[in-house]
Structures are given as structure tokens and as C-alpha cells.
């Protein structure tokens, strides 16, 4: 797999910085951080969700997607060059697709609620919240499985262990 990984990571980081700058420079919505609750001191209420996300919602979604891409790229960076195969790329691509799908369901599920003021419920939560609550951690499981099951294939092979043991033995022999 011949890609310039460092440049891809850099470009992703630059895009993330541009998105963050755009969020910082976006038009400020009144009461975007909430308003005091009329009945309970110290409690904040959110106000109009659609208005709060009007200028920054899609930027937040873009940042989340870029962050997920960056996570995958950094995971690939942790794999030795010789083990960055098309098989690994397929696993990482599938993992990324699942993570992006969850992000999509969260964001656009919430946008649907804001537009219709109606939602279904899944395991006790509104659907968008359920995707966030259950989907976020669930979407990390493929990366854990790739690392755990593919450890000796992608991360630290038996040949790597033999090479390390030989270096260790040489070090002990020279210092002994």
C-alpha cells in the first residue's frame, strides 16, 4: 500500500484546523450556551436546537468525520510499513465506514428531530441519542478486533519477536 501517510495525516489535521477556525468565526447565536431555567436556579435550558446548530452544525459533523478519519490514519501509522497491506486497508476502511455511518445516523437523526419534533425510541433513548450512546462505543470495537486478532499479522509478528530476542541476546552477550 503505497500512500504518503504522513502527508495524508497532515492534510487531515489542516482540514480539522480550518473547520475549527470556521466554527470559531461562525455567527454567534443568542443563548447558544443555554439560558437560566425559569424555575430552578443553577439549571440551564437549551433553547432552540435548530437555531444553535444553524451556523455550526454541519461544521461539527465535518469535524467529527475528519477526526474519525484521523484516528484510522494514526492507527495505520502504528503498523510497520511492511505490514500495511491491502487486507489491512480493507479492514480499516470497513471500520471507518462503520464509524462514519454511526456519525451520520447521530447527526442527521438529530436534524430530523429538529425538523419534525418527532422521534422514535430505541432502548430507552431517542434514536439519535441511542446512536450516540450505543453506536459510538460499538463502532470502536472493529478497531479493537483488528488490533487483537491481527496483532501477530500486522503489529508484532513472530519474525519481529525473533529479531528482538536476537538483539536482546546480543546486548546481554556484549555487556556480560
Amino acid at each position: 500500500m503505497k500512500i504518503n501517510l504522513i502527508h495524508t495525516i497532515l492534510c487531515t489535521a489542516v482540514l480539522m484546523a480550518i473547520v475549527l477556525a470556521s466554527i470559531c468565526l461562525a455567527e454567534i447565536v443568542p443563548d447558544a450556551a443555554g439560558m437560566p431555567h425559569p424555575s430552578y436556579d443553577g439549571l440551564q435550558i437549551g433553547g432552540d436546537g435548530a437555531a444553535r446548530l444553524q451556523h455550526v452544525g454541519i461544521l461539527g459533523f465535518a469535524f467529527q468525520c475528519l477526526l474519525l478519519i484521523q484516528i484510522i490514519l494514526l492507527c495505520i501509522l502504528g503498523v510497520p510499513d511492511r505490514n500495511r497491506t491491502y487486507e489491512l486497508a480493507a479492514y480499516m476502511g470497513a471500520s471507518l465506514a462503520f464509524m462514519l455511518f454511526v456519525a451520520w445516523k447521530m447527526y442527521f437523526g438529530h436534524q430530523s428531530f429538529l425538523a419534525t419534533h418527532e422521534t422514535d425510541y430505541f432502548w430507552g433513548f431517542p434514536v439519535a441519542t441511542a446512536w450516540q450512546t450505543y453506536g459510538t462505543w460499538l463502532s470502536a470495537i472493529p478497531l479493537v478486533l483488528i488490533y487483537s486478532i491481527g496483532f501477530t499479522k500486522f503489529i508484532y509478528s513472530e519474525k519481529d519477536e525473533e529479531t528482538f530476542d536476537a538483539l536482546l541476546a546480543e546486548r546481554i552477550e556484549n555487556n556480560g
Side-chain angles (χ1 to χ4, degrees):
M1 196 165 85
K2 300 289 182 194
I3 61 169
N4 196 332
L5 192 56
I6 295 298
H7 288 116
T8 307
I9 290 169
L10 175 64
C11 288
T12 305
V14 168
L15 287 172
M16 291 171 74
I18 290 169
V19 170
L20 279 179
S22 299
I23 289 171
C24 290
L25 297 172
E27 186 176 331
I28 297 174
V29 175
D31 299 319
M35 304 171 278
H37 193 281
S39 304
Y40 301 101
D41 292 337
L43 185 65
Q44 296 282 99
I45 55 176
D48 184 4
R52 288 183 292 152
L53 292 178
Q54 179 181 3
H55 304 293
V56 296
I58 198 70
L59 293 172
F61 174 68
F63 185 82
Q64 181 180 11
C65 292
L66 288 168
L67 177 63
L68 295 173
I69 291 167
Q70 192 76 305
I71 288 168
I72 293 294
L73 292 171
L74 292 172
C75 287
I76 294 170
L77 184 65
V79 174
D81 285 343
R82 68 185 177 282
N83 296 338
R84 292 181 195 159
T85 63
Y86 288 109
E87 180 184 7
L88 177 67
Y91 291 146
M92 294 305 236
S95 182
L96 177 61
F98 183 45
M99 288 189 281
L100 292 173
F101 175 74
V102 169
W104 177 272
K105 294 298 280 184
M106 279 190 302
Y107 179 73
F108 287 100
H110 184 62
Q111 291 299 310
S112 175
F113 166 74
L114 291 175
T116 65
H117 297 287
E118 294 178 8
T119 189
D120 292 324
Y121 288 84
F122 181 75
W123 284 358
F125 291 107
V127 172
T129 305
W131 276 106
Q132 194 278 324
T133 303
Y134 306 123
T136 299
W137 67 265
L138 186 63
S139 68
I141 289 176
L143 286 179
V144 173
L145 291 174
I146 293 167
Y147 183 81
S148 301
I149 296 170
F151 186 81
T152 56
K153 186 172 191 171
F154 300 118
I155 308 297
Y156 189 68
S157 69
E158 290 178 12
K159 183 180 177 186
D160 294 330
E161 187 172 4
E162 290 169 7
T163 303
F164 177 75
D165 288 342
L167 286 172
L168 189 57
E170 181 181 323
R171 169 87 172 150
I172 291 170
E173 185 178 306
N174 290 338
N175 288 338

